[in-house]
Amino acid sequence: MSRLGQHAENHLVDRIGWMRAAVLGANDGIVSTASLIVGVAAAAANQNDVLIAGVAGLVAGAMAMAAGEYVSVSSQSDTEQADLARERKELKKNPGLELDELAEIYVKRGVDKATARKVARQLMAKDALGAHARDELGISEITTARPVQAALTSAASFSVGAAMPLLMVVVSPAGALVPLVSAASLGFLAVLGAIGARAGGANILRATVRVTFWGALAMALTAGIGKLFGTVI
Ligand SMILES: [Zn+2]
């Protein structure tokens, strides 16, 4: 199969997409594991129990991320392949109708009829499926989706994120576990938010505040729940 868009900017977009996925995975790992740790610790569990809960959270989260990413990438790819197969068949069966259809799309975008037909004809002469995929189906690039690679990347970045608060549990003195894990995790989140914003060209301060706010909220909630259950049971 021929690749459709081979512009230089696609590589930049690819890289940002990949980086963003990795940053998001690590972000999830920090927030969910730190919240879990803080919640269990607030319920007055000992350091060993907290560590076991944290490790279990890391494994469960990494598996959930991998499974989710695998399913999402595979189904997206299946849908695109099915759309392309249908389009290929239509192009073979009804090339005239497909030319009208493509020209009509350009007319709707503001091109006059004669020019639209000319553009459609020339584009279809070069790569009919490519032109229809891009302008009719909105598939800008026929990517060879790799669900296994996406799954492994997500699981790995989640694990790296989750390992940070877990490490804090190991080095923290018993009495200071909750404040130390919370503060360090918010610090990790802020750094990660800044990296993500930089990679995506977004406002660094806003991204950092946003990500630490949600992290703090998650930890406060689980700490409250942990405390509640710790005193009730
Ligand atoms: Zn078409």
Side-chain angles (χ1 to χ4, degrees), residues 24-217:
L24 280 178
N27 195 87
D28 277 2
I30 295 172
V31 172
S32 65
T33 309
S35 303
L36 189 65
I37 288 169
V38 168
V40 175
N46 65 44
Q47 201 138 349
N48 203 37
D49 292 342
V50 173
L51 201 61
I52 290 169
V55 171
L58 183 152
V59 175
M63 288 309 296
M65 293 284 284
E69 196 66 13
Y70 184 86
V71 169
S72 144
V73 171
S74 321
S75 62
Q76 163 90 17
S77 153
D78 286 352
T79 308
E80 284 187 6
Q81 293 306 323
D83 278 348
L84 287 170
R86 198 175 313 122
E87 195 63 32
R88 199 176 289 124
K89 213 190 257 169
E90 280 169 13
L91 280 166
K92 206 170 219 169
K93 221 169 67 186
N94 264 322
L97 223 81
E98 288 294 314
L99 176 69
D100 293 345
E101 185 187 54
L102 194 61
E104 191 54 39
I105 289 169
Y106 300 135
V107 169
K108 277 198 187 120
R109 289 185 194 165
V111 180
D112 70 70
K113 234 176 187 138
T115 313
R117 270 198 93 72
K118 203 168 160 188
V119 169
R121 189 169 288 128
Q122 289 186 2
L123 283 175
M124 282 177 69
K126 184 161 186 274
D127 179 8
L129 184 63
H132 280 260
R134 197 172 49 237
D135 291 330
E136 186 191 344
L137 305 174
I139 301 172
S140 61
E141 188 181 8
I142 297 178
T143 46
T144 38
R146 296 187 201 100
V148 173
Q149 195 191 42
L152 290 178
T153 307
S154 285
S157 57
F158 181 94
S159 302
V160 169
M164 294 188 203
L166 270 178
L167 214 66
M168 296 313 294
V169 175
V170 176
V171 301
S172 153
L177 206 148
V178 170
L180 209 78
V181 168
S182 311
S185 299
L186 288 178
F188 295 141
L189 282 174
V191 171
L192 209 59
I195 293 173
R198 227 193 126 76
N203 183 300
I204 290 180
L205 183 68
R206 200 181 311 152
T208 307
V209 169
R210 191 159 43 205
V211 82
T212 44
F213 168 77
W214 285 106
L217 188 67

